[in-house]
Amino acid sequence: MEGPGDPPEGTPEGAPGGGDEEYRSVVFDESFVRAARLQESSARERLGDHAPAVRTRHVWARLGASRQLMLLVLLIALAFGTAVYMGLRHPYKDPPPPSAEPLQTTVIPLAPRGTVPGGPAARLFADSPARGFAEGAEGVVLPDARRTQNFSEGLVMAALATAKEYTVRSALDREVLGGGDGRAVRVLLAPSQVEQYDRSFERPVADGQHAITGWVVRFDPAQVAVDDAPVRVEGAFSLTEVSPAALEVSADHTFVYAVRPAGTGPVKAGTAAGAGQAADASLFTVRRIVRFRFDRDDLQDHHVQVLQSTVEAGPESCGADDAAYLRPVLAGGTADNSRQPLTDPYATGRPSVGLCGVLAPGALAPAAGPSPPGR
């Protein structure tokens, strides 16, 4: 027996509860559809009158907090690195100092008038213009160090002290005076001048750049002995800032040496000259004007650039070959001025004329008589 239920074919069309019953109110007939009018807006109309349906998110907003922090740190590091680089490459930064110029030297013999006087060194000094000079390094006195526009007081003092050290080693060191190897002076030179110094030392020539006597005071040990009496010295230094990167020091000193023939000893008080191997001393005077330069590297490395040296030395003979050694006219001798080079005004190349001066009256001590006791 079958109970009530839906037929197998489903609810008949039109019957209550049929599938189309709920859509009946929205069904359009054919006449309505034909009468409907479709119109599509243009692209310009759609863009002009309608806001975008979806709001675009900014790139920064799409990054997470950790990525934002990393990017910010990267930008700060990049800005800092750029600032440091531009500081190092600043177009107004002082240019690096040039390498040292070659030393220019001038050595001028001073010829005596008449015979060179001789005697015990102490008496000669006492009777000469050098009697008031200080002895040895005590005569190489530095001025007060004052800061300049771009150099501190400490750097100024370093420049002056190095100039003094060069002066003492090159003109008062006994080994250098006796024709030694000159290493004590060489170690003070700027590296770019060492080659010129070595060339002057090994193959000296009077060409304005390679006379070793322009660098140091030295005598031929085969001809001249320097007396044990202290060298008399007087002079001064001056300092100038020539640029924000360099200082220049000028040294103007007069050195007076007591010299004798090589292989002889000094004449002792109360002893006649010529007894045994004793010989009279004579005075030999050197006035030297030297111009030094120091850049900041020189001051840090304890080096000096020697730019110009003018030496007046006598008594010497005019035309003496003094590129390697200064050659004093010793006690009792006279100057030989017959070797002055001839000058040809039509010749080309470097002038061959030699410079020579004459010692002023009173520059040498008068002839010494018998030494009084105690002198």
Side-chain angles (χ1 to χ4, degrees):
M1 179 173 173
E2 299 178 1
D6 291 335
E9 298 81 10
T11 305
E13 184 179 355
D20 292 334
E21 185 67 24
E22 57 180 322
Y23 301 108
R24 187 175 299 278
S25 61
V26 294
V27 174
F28 305 109
D29 58 16
E30 184 178 355
S31 60
F32 179 83
V33 172
R34 289 179 179 177
R37 186 177 176 186
L38 301 177
Q39 181 176 0
E40 183 178 1
S41 299
S42 67
R44 178 171 297 179
E45 290 172 340
R46 290 196 302 272
L47 292 175
D49 299 334
H50 301 280
V54 180
R55 184 176 61 183
T56 303
R57 297 182 66 190
H58 195 276
V59 176
W60 183 261
R62 291 201 299 269
L63 296 175
S66 61
R67 292 186 178 181
Q68 292 179 13
L69 181 60
M70 290 178 61
L71 182 59
L72 183 60
V73 171
L74 180 61
L75 291 175
I76 293 174
L78 181 61
F80 181 76
T82 302
V84 172
Y85 176 79
M86 292 303 294
L88 295 175
R89 302 284 295 179
H90 197 286
Y92 300 106
K93 187 177 180 180
D94 294 336
S99 59
E101 303 171 10
L103 169 63
Q104 303 295 323
T105 62
T106 303
V107 181
I108 304 172
L110 301 179
R113 290 178 173 174
T115 303
V116 174
R123 181 181 181 119
L124 293 175
F125 279 125
D127 293 336
S128 77
R131 57 184 172 271
F133 289 8
E135 296 182 355
E138 294 180 1
V140 186
V141 181
L142 293 178
D144 293 336
R146 294 185 175 87
R147 67 168 295 117
T148 64
Q149 183 175 356
N150 294 284
F151 289 84
S152 67
E153 181 178 324
L155 292 177
V156 169
M157 191 64 218
L160 290 170
T162 306
K164 175 178 178 177
E165 187 172 0
Y166 180 95
T167 301
V168 171
R169 292 189 183 187
S170 63
L172 297 176
D173 185 284
R174 291 282 170 166
E175 182 178 352
V176 174
L177 293 176
D181 58 18
R183 292 181 184 177
V185 176
R186 187 180 187 272
V187 296
L188 293 176
L189 298 176
S192 56
Q193 287 193 316
V194 169
E195 182 179 356
Q196 183 188 6
Y197 180 82
D198 290 343
R199 165 68 175 81
S200 302
F201 204 94
E202 295 165 2
R203 297 183 299 279
V205 59
D207 62 354
Q209 290 190 346
H210 297 99
I212 191 60
T213 48
W215 297 89
V216 300
V217 177
R218 67 197 301 251
F219 303 100
D220 185 353
Q223 302 292 328
V224 178
V226 180
D227 194 88
D228 293 336
V231 181
R232 303 304 198 266
V233 185
E234 185 173 79
F237 295 94
S238 61
L239 181 140
T240 306
E241 180 182 309
V242 294
S243 78
L247 295 171
E248 284 194 1
V249 175
S250 179
D252 185 350
H253 291 86
T254 299
F255 307 91
V256 185
Y257 307 87
V259 294
R260 298 176 282 100
T264 65
V267 174
K268 297 181 181 180
T271 304
Q277 289 296 313
D280 280 339
S282 60
L283 299 185
F284 187 78
T285 304
V286 175
R287 184 189 179 190
R288 190 175 70 173
I289 302 173
V290 184
R291 185 162 60 94
F292 305 101
R293 178 174 294 170
F294 300 87
D295 60 38
R296 296 184 185 273
D297 289 339
D298 295 327
L299 295 174
Q300 180 178 353
D301 299 335
H302 195 59
H303 286 153
V304 60
Q305 305 172 35
V306 190
L307 301 186
Q308 189 172 18
S309 175
T310 301
V311 178
E312 298 175 349
E316 281 194 323
S317 297
C318 289
D321 182 9
D322 51 12
Y325 300 103
L326 297 176
R327 304 186 183 279
V329 178
L330 299 173
T334 57
D336 178 8
N337 297 326
S338 63
R339 293 184 294 170
Q340 276 287 79
L342 299 177
T343 301
D344 182 0
Y346 297 97
T348 58
R350 188 177 182 85
S352 59
V353 62
L355 298 175
C356 189
V358 178
L359 281 171
L364 294 175
S371 300
R375 293 290 295 275

